[in-house]
Amino acid sequence: MDLAEYARHLARLLHKYVPSAFLVLCGMVILLTSSSGQWFTPRSRSGYSKTLVTDAEWTTLISRGAISTRINGEVSQRTTHPVPLEQVNVSMVHQSTNLTLLGRVTEEMRDNRDDENHGRQSHEGTAPSFGNGSSNSTLHRAITEIFRPEPNIPEKLMRVRPKILQDYPSTFLDDYKNPCYRKKTDETLHCLPYFFLLGTPKSGTSDIWSKITSHPDIVYGIKEPHWWTRFSCPTANKSSAYASLDPYERYVVTGPIEKQTTGENATRRASVVTGDGSASTFWDNRMWETFFPEDYATGPPYIMADVIHTVLPNAKLIVTLRDPIDRLYSEYWYFHRSNTMSEEDFHESVVRRITEFETCVTKRSQRACAYSTHKNVRLHIGLYSIYTYDWLQRYPRDQFLALKLEEWKQNCTSLLPMIYQFLNVAKLPSSVIAKICRAPSKNVGKQKRHSGQMWSSTRELLRDFYRPYVKDLATLLEDKKFMWDYHPTDMDHPSTR
């Protein structure tokens, strides 16, 4: 038999007769004595850090079972699921195709060590990399094939989007700035969004999307596929074909990227990115009561933000928010088709929706009611603080940029460069920025029916309803501008609602 077959046979025997813990240690010894003869180096967003993980840390991590994956020599740039250091235990050791540490665990351990020495040094995106020594590489692969890890994904989270969470990519290509990968089956290119314009309906997402994608390195794709929240939901659609990543990657994201990065444009792989501008991603978690009937009163334990974070933990998030009263009124006139539409009908609908919501919160949590309300007058979309809090529980603050529509309208030339900086794309000359901002606003004033002025009594009802939530939003984002004109002085007394 050849060397590869012999190595696999030996690995199977070892797996059968030798305790798993001992086998893991053997694998570590083999990897660390490869021809490179060096410890691994943690990978950061900006390149490779020179800080090495110490013997003591390595031993601790092995003993706790903090093992993740690296496939065919390609370093995984993220963990399958964030796990706090104190929760790491031997049960996390699954079967492995190469042994790398959980990035988040090594980040915490490294930060702790740096604190004790000469100050804190930040390391992000910390999937470590082994030296690429060729010695014993066949035996490495044979042994580690037996220990391929299953994703550390909670069973409840799997209920939300099982097809996505069963086959999402474990690594992304190093030569692409946008998260792209190649499937082993056919080597075709597949890409996912680099950023999300989360937004809310009638809050300027079309105009902001148009101007963001005017940057030469941001590829214009389908603005609102609504795939994550709607078309990928198998119980909400007749066809389950849309429930996997493949159609979304192929028809929504990959095409625009591939066109800009092939042939003579191959050098652009390191700079070109694309995004998803679906305004439903921020707030829409339909069908959650079907997934989690036992959590009906308390609210969904997992939402779409958890699914996206599992697949794309480094995604950039932009949310555009508008005064919730103006947003609601604009949406009413834009989306509705009824012949009974009028200022009076809007007022009566608002009264009904507020009454329904207030009745709901006597039996269920505010969060459960916010995620459960899908009526014609969608009062719940304006509960920004609830959705913002949930996204910030999944993503760090530096990956989340909140924009105020009213400010965008007045100050595009200052905010657009800030957005480009947030997305880490090339800076454009001020003359180019000015030209982009002078372009006519998209999807503005296109109400399907003529709208008159909202009744003052309706506005006061809505102001009283939304006031505690905008107060919470301003506190959460630490920015009083998100109070709009709902009594900014109340910031000193956060709502308990």
Side-chain angles (χ1 to χ4, degrees):
M1 65 177 66
D2 60 21
L3 178 59
E5 187 177 353
Y6 175 80
R8 290 187 179 90
H9 179 68
L10 175 60
R12 282 193 292 270
L13 291 175
L14 288 172
H15 180 55
K16 182 175 181 180
Y17 296 107
V18 181
S20 296
F22 178 73
L23 242 186
V24 173
L25 290 174
C26 287
M28 303 319 323
V29 171
I30 292 172
L31 285 167
L32 298 175
T33 55
S34 63
S35 60
S36 63
Q38 63 182 13
W39 284 95
F40 56 85
T41 306
R43 178 76 177 271
S44 71
R45 288 196 185 104
S46 59
Y48 287 90
S49 167
K50 295 182 180 180
T51 305
L52 303 180
V53 177
T54 65
D55 292 352
E57 290 170 348
W58 175 251
T59 303
T60 301
L61 288 163
I62 294 176
S63 67
R64 295 187 179 192
I67 306 297
S68 188
T69 67
R70 191 177 83 165
I71 300 174
N72 296 331
E74 295 180 0
V75 181
S76 172
Q77 296 184 33
R78 57 166 178 70
T79 62
T80 55
H81 198 71
V83 181
L85 180 61
E86 64 272 15
Q87 294 181 13
V88 176
N89 54 57
V90 177
S91 66
M92 288 171 53
V93 180
H94 302 296
Q95 307 170 51
S96 165
T97 50
N98 231 324
L99 302 173
T100 60
L101 300 178
L102 283 170
R104 194 168 291 247
V105 175
T106 57
E107 181 179 0
E108 292 185 21
M109 296 193 72
R110 209 171 36 253
D111 287 345
N112 290 339
R113 187 186 65 230
D114 292 341
D115 285 343
E116 295 171 0
N117 296 329
H118 302 290
R120 189 179 190 89
Q121 180 178 358
S122 175
H123 300 281
E124 300 177 359
T126 57
S129 164
F130 285 102
N132 292 323
S134 60
S135 174
N136 297 318
S137 60
T138 303
L139 184 58
H140 297 178
R141 287 193 297 272
I143 288 179
T144 56
E145 276 175 6
I146 296 173
F147 289 91
R148 185 175 300 108
E150 300 168 2
N152 186 32
I153 300 175
E155 180 274 331
K156 277 193 169 185
L157 176 54
M158 287 295 292
R159 300 181 198 174
V160 182
R161 294 295 188 276
K163 284 198 172 185
I164 296 175
L165 297 174
Q166 285 167 0
D167 63 1
Y168 69 93
S170 58
T171 61
F172 293 116
L173 298 170
D174 287 335
D175 55 337
Y176 282 81
K177 181 173 184 176
N178 199 85
C180 296
Y181 68 102
R182 296 191 184 278
K183 288 197 172 182
K184 293 183 179 180
T185 53
D186 56 11
E187 286 298 310
T188 56
L189 184 70
H190 291 257
C191 297
L192 290 164
Y194 174 81
F195 71 94
F196 289 85
L197 179 58
L198 300 176
T200 50
K202 305 309 298 174
S203 297
T205 57
S206 295
D207 186 52
I208 294 173
W209 174 266
S210 175
K211 290 178 170 57
I212 287 176
T213 54
S214 296
H215 193 288
D217 287 339
I218 301 178
V219 181
Y220 189 102
I222 298 175
K223 192 258 179 181
E224 292 191 83
H226 294 292
W227 180 81
W228 293 90
T229 55
R230 297 175 186 174
F231 288 102
S232 69
C233 183
T235 56
N237 290 279
K238 294 180 180 179
S239 174
S240 62
Y242 296 103
S244 69
L245 282 169
D246 188 71
Y248 174 71
E249 294 169 333
R250 185 172 301 180
Y251 301 113
V252 178
V253 186
T254 305
I257 287 288
E258 196 165 30
K259 184 181 294 186
Q260 296 291 326
T261 58
T262 56
E264 61 183 18
N265 294 323
T267 55
R268 301 193 67 206
R269 293 176 181 177
S271 59
V272 171
V273 298
T274 192
D276 184 316
S278 303
S280 62
T281 310
F282 180 58
W283 55 270
D284 193 348
N285 285 277
R286 60 185 60 196
M287 306 301 297
W288 75 265
E289 289 151 314
T290 302
F291 302 139
F292 313 113
E294 67 274 24
D295 298 297
Y296 176 82
T298 56
Y302 294 100
I303 57 175
M304 188 47 58
D306 292 288
V307 176
I308 294 176
H309 182 268
T310 300
V311 179
L312 295 165
N314 296 319
K316 302 278 190 177
L317 310 172
I318 303 170
V319 60
T320 172
L321 303 172
R322 180 183 186 180
D323 182 321
I325 298 176
D326 295 335
R327 190 216 68 79
L328 185 67
Y329 196 54
S330 176
E331 180 185 67
Y332 170 81
W333 287 101
Y334 185 85
F335 287 114
H336 291 200
R337 303 289 188 271
S338 173
N339 292 328
T340 62
M341 290 173 63
S342 65
E343 294 79 6
E344 182 180 2
D345 177 69
F346 179 73
H347 177 87
E348 292 173 353
S349 297
V350 165
V351 171
R352 285 195 300 271
R353 297 291 92 83
I354 291 177
T355 301
E356 289 169 1
F357 191 86
E358 291 180 342
T359 300
C360 180
V361 297
T362 63
K363 304 171 183 177
R364 308 170 68 184
S365 72
Q366 291 177 16
R367 185 169 173 272
C369 295
Y371 280 120
S372 301
T373 310
H374 296 278
K375 303 286 185 170
N376 289 336
V377 174
R378 300 187 294 182
L379 193 78
H380 65 291
I381 295 179
L383 305 178
Y384 305 145
S385 60
I386 292 175
Y387 311 126
T388 299
Y389 178 83
D390 276 353
W391 280 92
L392 290 178
Q393 288 293 298
R394 280 79 182 170
Y395 281 90
R397 185 67 177 84
D398 62 0
Q399 288 176 229
F400 188 94
L401 176 64
L403 301 175
K404 182 181 175 184
L405 174 62
E406 294 83 357
E407 190 174 56
W408 167 260
K409 289 180 177 179
Q410 300 296 322
N411 206 10
C412 171
T413 53
S414 294
L415 293 179
L416 188 58
M418 182 184 72
I419 295 172
Y420 288 153
Q421 182 179 12
F422 173 74
L423 294 176
N424 193 28
V425 295
K427 183 178 180 180
L428 298 183
S430 56
S431 59
V432 176
I433 294 292
K435 182 178 180 180
I436 294 173
C437 288
R438 282 198 301 270
S441 297
K442 299 291 183 180
N443 204 28
V444 174
K446 293 183 178 180
Q447 282 88 351
K448 299 294 189 294
R449 302 277 304 273
H450 171 72
S451 59
Q453 291 293 317
M454 184 191 312
W455 289 0
S456 58
S457 56
T458 313
R459 184 171 290 276
E460 285 306 309
L461 274 175
L462 289 168
R463 187 181 300 278
D464 289 341
F465 176 78
Y466 281 127
R467 182 178 289 109
Y469 298 100
V470 297
K471 189 189 308 181
D472 290 343
L473 177 70
T475 302
L476 187 62
L477 296 176
E478 299 180 318
D479 194 335
K480 291 183 178 181
K481 71 183 180 185
F482 290 102
M483 278 291 296
W484 286 274
D485 60 348
Y486 296 71
H487 307 305
T489 54
D490 289 346
M491 275 283 290
D492 297 331
H493 306 285
S495 166
T496 58
R497 180 170 183 166

